Amino acid sequence: MKIICVGRNYVDHAKELNNPVPKQPLLFMKPSTALLLEEKPFYYPEFSNEIHYELELVLRIVKNGRHVQPKFARGYYEQLALGIDFTARDIQRKCKEKGHPWEKAKGFDHSACLSRFIDFPVPGKEGINFRLLKNSQEVQTGNSNDMIFDFDYLIQDISKYFKLQIGDLIYTGTPAGVGPVTIGDLLEGYVNGQKLLHCEIK
Ligand code: MG
């Protein structure tokens, strides 16, 4: 099982970190040991002083496939979850400066918080709304209509490089509003008004 993540998939988030808006999906991976499941707490790691939350819509792959054609992409996912792409922003900044890979900043243990899955919402014009509360205050809101590369495009593009396998997860990118967590914080994530994600920082 692999966790494929998309960076800078919302224009407003790319701009808030002073990054260019990508012309193709920016992809990176987390190992399976990054998963944080079942509403378990996130323990603040000792190697960072700047852990950020990034709330993302997450797909789970239900079919094996390579070079998926656009018209078949929708058949590769059936359910949706919320995830937090925990990021050691201080380490990521150093990696970027030196042109080094991001894994230590993005793929560390328990950096991929994942909620339970729900059936994929029937797509309407209004898109899929999601939001994150930190200590009961709204810190991020997003809508799937604002993704630069939509779900089906991501399936098509990712499968050109990486064979999709049943159980793989795709973290589809975060909207604007990313920020730090501190010990004692509570993160709660909602999709279309339904609470899916609950994570305490310890
Ligand atoms: Mg992210």
Side-chain angles (χ1 to χ4, degrees):
M1 190 282 273
K2 56 191 176 291
I3 304 169
I4 302 155
C5 304
V6 184
R8 302 174 197 165
N9 200 20
Y10 291 79
V11 171
D12 52 357
H13 170 62
K15 287 185 174 163
E16 75 177 340
L17 294 183
N18 294 316
N19 287 314
V21 175
K23 301 217 166 33
Q24 284 297 312
L26 190 164
L27 305 177
F28 63 94
M29 298 227 205
K30 295 181 189 246
S32 58
T33 43
L35 270 183
L36 179 65
L37 299 171
E38 296 164 359
E39 305 196 343
K40 288 197 176 126
F42 175 85
Y43 286 92
Y44 206 105
E46 46 82 29
F47 53 75
S48 173
N49 294 309
E50 196 182 1
I51 299 288
H52 276 198
Y53 57 79
E54 295 188 359
L55 184 70
E56 314 203 356
L57 297 172
V58 180
L59 306 178
R60 182 165 54 198
I61 296 301
V62 295
K63 267 204 295 202
N64 296 338
R66 303 177 66 208
H67 298 284
V68 176
Q69 297 301 303
K71 63 181 174 185
F72 297 125
R74 181 61 187 84
Y76 282 75
Y77 55 94
E78 294 169 353
Q79 292 191 307
L80 182 73
L82 278 175
I84 294 184
D85 166 18
F86 280 115
T87 302
R89 196 71 73 199
D90 46 356
I91 294 179
Q92 187 191 34
R93 202 175 295 118
K94 284 183 201 153
C95 292
K96 281 184 183 175
E97 281 167 14
K98 294 179 182 164
H100 289 174
W102 283 359
E103 273 84 352
K104 287 204 298 192
K106 285 285 198 180
F108 57 86
D109 292 347
H110 300 157
S111 60
C113 180
L114 184 67
S115 78
R116 66 191 165 89
F117 278 83
I118 55 170
D119 288 341
F120 202 85
V122 178
K125 278 197 189 113
E126 67 281 2
I128 300 165
N129 276 305
F130 59 110
R131 64 193 194 115
L132 181 67
L133 306 187
K134 183 173 93 169
N135 305 328
S136 305
Q137 298 230 313
E138 188 173 278
V139 287
Q140 280 194 288
T141 58
N143 186 286
S144 59
N145 286 345
D146 297 327
M147 295 166 79
I148 299 169
F149 306 106
D150 67 18
F151 300 116
D152 289 357
Y153 189 92
L154 292 175
I155 296 283
Q156 176 210 335
D157 187 68
I158 290 166
S159 67
K160 280 194 258 180
Y161 305 93
F162 307 109
K163 179 180 180 179
L164 292 173
Q165 293 178 294
I166 294 169
D168 288 349
L169 299 172
I170 301 178
Y171 280 59
T172 61
T174 195
V178 302
V181 292
T182 52
I183 291 171
D185 283 347
L186 171 64
L187 301 176
E188 297 169 286
Y190 291 78
V191 169
N192 291 342
Q194 181 181 6
K195 181 173 173 181
L196 288 188
L197 184 137
H198 181 102
C199 182
E200 291 170 42
I201 312 298
K202 291 199 172 180

